[in-house]
Amino acid sequence: MAAGLRAVRRWGLVAAAPPGLAFTRSAFVVKKANNAQPNWLGVGLAFTTSVVLWASLITQHNEDVMEYERRKQAREHKCTRCS
């Protein structure tokens, strides 16, 4: 970290800002959480995303099991007329 600050000073990359504001840590303001009014849109999106992902996972699993069973039966099928 210190080497980076030295490089910035050496190459003159510091803008003409007041000395105390040249290297501020963050531009974001942190607010205190308001637990009395939850973000229902965020809660709904998170829950819906979770449900959709689980549904697609279960659907894909069922398709994989059916494909596995189909291939297993095809391997066990020993008919001389098919080959």
Side-chain angles (χ1 to χ4, degrees):
M1 181 72 185
L5 291 175
R6 279 184 291 207
V8 167
R9 287 185 191 131
R10 183 178 341 143
W11 292 318
L13 297 176
V14 178
L21 299 177
F23 294 104
T24 57
R25 189 138 180 99
S26 177
F28 299 104
V29 178
V30 178
K31 295 181 192 176
K32 192 172 184 179
N34 185 2
N35 293 330
Q37 295 177 342
N39 182 4
W40 290 113
L41 179 63
V43 171
L45 284 173
F47 183 72
T48 304
T49 303
S50 178
V51 168
V52 168
L53 288 174
W54 273 105
S56 65
L57 179 70
I58 291 170
T59 303
Q60 184 65 45
H61 172 71
N62 291 338
E63 290 174 3
D64 290 345
V65 168
M66 288 188 332
E67 180 69 17
Y68 170 76
E69 293 295 331
R70 186 190 64 76
R71 291 184 183 192
K72 184 177 171 185
Q73 287 178 356
R75 271 195 317 265
E76 292 172 355
H77 181 73
K78 304 213 184 215
C79 179
T80 56
R81 287 180 287 164
C82 295
S83 50

